[in-house]
Every structure is written in C-alpha cells, then in structure tokens.
C-alpha cells in the first residue's frame, strides 16, 4: 500500500508540475511575500524585527497555499481528467492519498520559500533604511507559520473534493478564513475556534490567551480531519 501511495503521489506531483496555474500560484505567493514584507519593512511605523515583519505577512500568504490545495484536486474536475485518473488508479483512497501528498510537497516548498524570501527582503529593506535590526523573534514562530500555511491549505483540498470544482472551493475556503473569521472575531469570542484563528496561534500569540499554540493546532487539525473525513466519504461513495 505504501508503494501504491508513493506511485500515486509521484504521478500527482508530475501533474501539478505541468499546471501553469500551480506554477503561477507558487511564484505569486513568493512574490507576494517579497512585496508585502518589503512594504512593511519600509514603513516608518513598521516593526524593525525581521521575524515580526514576516509574521505580519502570513495572513496574506495563506491565500497561496489554500489555492494550491484547491488546484491539487479541483483542476481534474474542470477538464474531466478525474475519469482517466480513476481508470488508471481504481482505488479511490489511493488517489486521494496521492493528491494530498503531492499538495503537501508543493505547499511545504512554497511556504518555506515564501517565508525565507520574506525574511531576506525584510533584512535588506531594513538595512537600506539604516535601521538597526534588533534580535529576531523566536525561530519557532517561523516554523509555526510554515506549518499553519501548509495545514490551512488542506481545507482547500477537502473542500475541492467535496464541491468537485475550483471556484466554489476557493470562494468557500477563502471566505471562511479571510472574511467570516475576522468578522465573527469582532462579534463573539467563540470565533477563536475557527480554523484561521486557532491555527494562527502557531505563529502569533493571543493577548488574551484561552487557547495555547498546542490546543490551537489541535483545533485546526480537528477542522482538517472532520472536513477531510467528509471529503473522503463523499469521494468513495459517489460517481466521479
């Protein structure tokens, strides 16, 4: 079974490598990291700590990994290639495992590259302003940001599997993370249990802590597991 998953993942990696939308998303995310951190670092009222500047950019970068997650599944429904995929690999669990592993590889590389680019851009920008760079924040915050970016994109994988389309999955996932979560946060403290808010504790501390980074991670994983479980059940039972 492990060998089958490996072959499926290799096939899906090759498919994603050939998709212009995936390459554009990866390059766009890295480019956005450069532009956003550069703008934050050049601001006279911005932070002068590279890690702090990069962490401020993470909410914008999550759109990139969410898009990767949606594209990893949704594009095959757009052009009907899912039928060919299922004829070549009849075991649907293997197909989903391959797509998920391929997404994880692309998303991890994208997150690491974007955050590294952001750190480098911030350091260069602060140096050009002759701003003394203070000691960086805890490096585990950058690791937490990378983990968050990868995990939040898994919601895109699950919702694309459920909706069998790119646009609806993108709209639902991005709306939940970028619109609904901030709006509810201003209304009710229960918004902290939404995936974006809970997962955000992996890289940004809560001024009024109720959840810790560990419990925030568990809440985010809970969203991923429940949504992913529904996606797996739907994918295995219905027609392609």
């Amino acid at each position: 079974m492990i060998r089958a998953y490996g072959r499926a993942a290799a096939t899906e990696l090759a498919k994603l490598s050939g998709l212009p939308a995936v390459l554009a998303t990866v390059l766009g995310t890295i480019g956005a990291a450069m532009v956003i951190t550069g703008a934050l670092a050049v601001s006279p009222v911005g932070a002068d700590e590279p890690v702090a500047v990069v962490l401020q950019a993470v909410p914008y970068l999550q759109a990139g990994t969410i898009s990767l997650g949606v594209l990893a599944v949704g594009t095959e429904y757009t052009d009907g290639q899912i039928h060919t995929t299922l004829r070549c690999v009849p075991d649907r669990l293997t197909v989903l495992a391959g797509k998920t592993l391929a997404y994880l590889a692309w998303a991890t590389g994208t997150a690491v590259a974007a955050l590294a680019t952001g750190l480098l851009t911030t350091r260069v920008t602060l140096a050009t302003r002759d701003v003394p760079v203070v000691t960086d924040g805890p490096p585990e915050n950058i690791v937490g940001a990378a983990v968050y970016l990868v995990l939040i994109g898994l919601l895109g994988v699950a919702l694309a599997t459920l909706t069998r389309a790119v646009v609806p999955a993108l709209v639902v996932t991005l709306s939940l993370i970028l619109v609904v979560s901030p709006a509810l946060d201003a209304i009710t403290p229960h918004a902290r249990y939404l995936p974006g808010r809970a997962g955000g504790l992996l890289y940004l501390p809560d001024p009024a802590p109720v959840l810790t980074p560990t419990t925030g991670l568990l809440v985010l994983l809970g969203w991923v597991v429940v949504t992913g479980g529904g996606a797996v059940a739907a994918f295995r039972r219905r027609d392609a």
Side-chain angles (χ1 to χ4, degrees), residues 7 13 18 26 35 38 44 52 55-56 73 85 104 110 119 133 135 141 145 171 206 212 214 218 222 229 236:
R7 287 196 297 266
L13 279 170
V26 171
V35 171
L55 295 182
Q56 291 175 16
V73 175
T85 298
L104 290 173
T110 301
L119 280 173
V133 178
T135 304
N141 287 349
V171 170
D206 187 348
T212 66
T214 300
L218 292 175
R236 296 185 71 180

Side-chain angles (χ1 to χ4, degrees), residues 89-118:
V89 185
D91 183 44
R92 296 195 174 201
L93 191 59
T94 300
V95 170
L96 275 185
K99 291 184 178 298
T100 302
L101 290 172
Y103 158 77
L104 290 173
W106 274 94
T108 300
T110 301
V112 170
L115 294 172
T117 300

Side-chain angles (χ1 to χ4, degrees), residues 38-72:
L40 291 171
V42 81
S43 172
V45 295
D48 57 358
E49 184 182 78
V51 168
V53 171
V54 172
L55 295 182
Q56 291 175 16
V58 172
Y60 304 97
L61 302 180
Q62 61 188 340
T65 52
I66 288 172
S67 298
L68 281 177
V70 171
L71 291 171

